[in-house]
Amino acid sequence: MWPRDSSAPDWFAAVDLPPGESVVTVKIGSDPRDSRWKITATVQSDRGTKRLATVLPAEHVTIFRGTHDALRSGIGKQTVRAGKTGSIRLIDDRWLVGNAGVMLYGDKPPAENQIGVFAELQPDQGPL
């Protein structure tokens, strides 16, 4: 979720990336083991596979399962570089629900909480 009047999303969880190339997969869905809706991130590299999953709040599940428009940005398949202290927004998918579908500006923080899927490659600066 991207809280209203803030400059960045609230992060649910993080997974560390090893040096070198990695394939990062982010999914949302019902976990067949416990029927709870989760967001999962899987990181595959030469060093193995890491998986992280966190349960989504019920409000988010209702929105993701509903019929709403979504605005997608982030990076595509092109090469993107960032300095050692920079971040790269990999996924920025925002669900347009209620007034969020009427007023959406990119030049200032959202005026109300924005539900979405956000994934960002960030330098390690301590706990979330």
Side-chain angles (χ1 to χ4, degrees):
M1 179 177 73
W2 194 312
R4 68 183 190 100
D5 298 326
S6 68
S7 61
D10 277 347
W11 304 109
F12 283 171
V15 62
D16 62 310
L17 294 174
E21 293 186 18
S22 296
V23 175
V24 179
T25 305
V26 177
K27 294 181 181 181
I28 295 177
S30 178
D31 187 333
R33 296 172 294 181
D34 61 9
S35 298
R36 296 170 73 184
W37 277 71
K38 299 177 182 175
I39 185 167
T40 62
T42 305
V43 176
Q44 295 173 309
S45 71
D46 291 342
R47 296 185 179 195
T49 301
K50 295 179 183 181
R51 182 178 179 276
L52 169 108
T54 186
V55 176
L56 291 170
E59 173 190 348
H60 294 198
V61 173
T62 301
I63 290 170
F64 292 145
R65 296 190 70 195
T67 304
H68 304 287
D69 290 323
L71 179 64
R72 174 169 280 176
S73 63
I75 65 169
K77 296 183 180 199
Q78 72 276 17
T79 300
V80 177
R81 297 177 190 259
K84 290 182 180 181
T85 60
S87 297
I88 299 173
R89 181 70 48 87
L90 304 173
I91 300 171
D92 189 325
D93 293 354
R94 302 170 192 213
W95 268 251
L96 307 179
V97 179
N99 290 336
V102 178
M103 303 289 246
L104 186 63
Y105 298 100
D107 62 342
K108 61 183 175 183
E112 60 183 58
N113 292 344
Q114 180 70 59
I115 304 300
V117 179
F118 307 99
E120 190 168 279
L121 183 60
Q122 302 174 351
D124 186 1
Q125 298 174 343
L128 295 178

